Amino acid sequence: MIDKIKQLLDYQAVDYESEKVEKAVINCEERRAAVQKKKFEAIMENRKKLIAMLEKLKNELASVEAKCTELSAQTAQCQKEIQNDGEDIDKVENDLKRLRRITDATAELGEQIKQIIIRSQKADKMLSEQTANANAARDQYQACKQKYDERLKQEMPAIEAAKARRAEAAKNVDPELLKKYNALRANKQVPTARLQGSTCTGCNMMLPSAIVSRVAAEKEIVECENCSRILYI
């Protein structure tokens, strides 16, 4: 059992060294810069929303203009009827009332057109700015990514070598023990812990004497009953 624990600890050392090599690249300045500059994607998404807004405003404007055309035709027809009904006071009065309603509706549509144009101009300006910002951010991202790709290419031999050492070390570890190790590792904790006296150095909790005796006997794999780490002395 002592050999199994020693093999696991040897593997753990290689495993963490491999992770250190990989993290050195993942956390390098070039990658952080590339990730930060990738914000251009968010800008491009905002740009899509502005384009959709402009299209919607365009459709609204077309709809209002169509209504204006219809009201213009109604105005002409009403004016014609006023001329034809010139001697009938009641009809003329009704025609004039209808003409005023048409005129008011036309004025309201004119205000709507004005507001749509203002909103369109504002959205168009924002679109131009967003496009310029997105293009600049994209160029910066591509430059940063190129630097990161170059760094990754340089470090790849070391990363592959570390992975190979880890794979080779894993061959010496008991499969069930390795499975337990990997499960603990997935929870982002160190899978093993030294037992100092009756205290687990992983979680700093005191363990029952029965657990301590089992670890000291070195005849079986013993886990901390609190943090589940594999214990050794």
Side-chain angles (χ1 to χ4, degrees):
M1 193 55 62
I2 296 177
D3 290 340
K4 285 187 176 182
I5 291 295
K6 183 180 183 304
Q7 291 164 348
L8 180 65
L9 293 176
D10 289 343
Y11 172 76
Q12 180 175 263
V14 175
D15 182 30
Y16 274 86
E17 181 58 32
S18 177
E19 181 184 63
K20 182 179 178 181
V21 173
E22 293 174 4
K23 283 187 174 181
V25 177
I26 293 174
N27 298 325
C28 69
E29 182 179 348
E30 291 86 349
R31 185 176 184 276
R32 288 199 303 270
V35 171
Q36 197 274 335
K37 295 300 181 183
K38 203 174 181 181
K39 64 183 181 181
F40 84 89
E41 291 182 343
I43 300 176
M44 292 298 289
E45 190 62 31
N46 288 336
R47 184 174 175 275
K48 289 180 181 179
K49 292 179 181 178
L50 285 171
I51 292 174
M53 181 189 295
L54 280 169
E55 185 63 26
K56 182 179 179 181
L57 290 171
K58 178 182 177 182
N59 292 335
E60 287 182 10
L61 182 60
S63 176
V64 174
E65 286 178 338
K67 291 179 181 178
C68 283
T69 300
E70 182 181 344
L71 288 177
S72 179
Q74 291 180 17
T75 299
Q77 179 63 30
C78 189
Q79 290 173 339
K80 183 178 179 181
E81 290 177 0
I82 289 174
Q83 292 177 351
N84 294 335
D85 299 334
E87 297 181 0
D88 190 328
I89 297 177
D90 291 336
K91 286 187 177 181
V92 170
E93 186 175 346
N94 289 332
D95 291 337
L96 288 173
K97 288 179 180 180
R98 187 157 64 92
L99 181 60
R100 281 193 294 270
R101 288 196 298 269
I102 294 173
T103 301
D104 291 343
T106 302
E108 184 178 340
L109 290 177
E111 183 61 29
Q112 289 182 27
I113 290 175
K114 179 181 177 181
Q115 293 302 319
I116 291 173
I117 291 174
I118 291 174
R119 289 162 59 196
S120 296
Q121 290 174 340
K122 183 178 180 180
D124 191 58
K125 181 180 178 182
M126 291 175 63
L127 178 60
S128 297
E129 293 173 351
Q130 290 286 342
T131 300
N133 292 338
N135 290 338
R138 182 191 57 210
D139 292 343
Q140 291 172 357
Y141 165 73
Q142 289 175 344
C144 290
K145 186 177 184 302
Q146 183 178 355
K147 290 182 179 180
Y148 169 65
D149 289 342
E150 292 172 356
R151 172 71 180 273
L152 181 61
K153 184 178 180 179
Q154 293 174 356
E155 299 293 341
M156 190 54 69
I159 293 175
E160 292 300 331
K163 287 182 177 179
R165 290 194 297 272
R166 180 167 57 192
E168 188 62 29
K171 296 177 181 178
N172 299 321
V173 183
D174 178 81
E176 287 300 317
L177 194 55
L178 184 61
K179 183 179 179 181
K180 173 65 178 176
Y181 173 93
N182 289 330
L184 291 167
R185 192 84 157 84
N187 292 326
K188 301 185 184 302
Q189 68 178 34
V190 179
T192 65
R194 183 182 295 277
L195 185 66
Q196 290 186 343
S198 61
T199 301
C200 169
T201 56
C203 61
N204 295 318
M205 294 293 291
M206 293 188 64
L207 302 176
S209 57
I211 297 289
V212 175
S213 297
R214 289 170 58 198
V215 177
E218 298 182 331
K219 293 182 179 180
E220 60 180 315
I221 300 300
V222 184
E223 301 170 8
C224 173
E225 62 180 16
N226 180 62
C227 67
S228 299
R229 287 181 171 88
I230 300 167
L231 298 171
Y232 65 95
I233 56 176

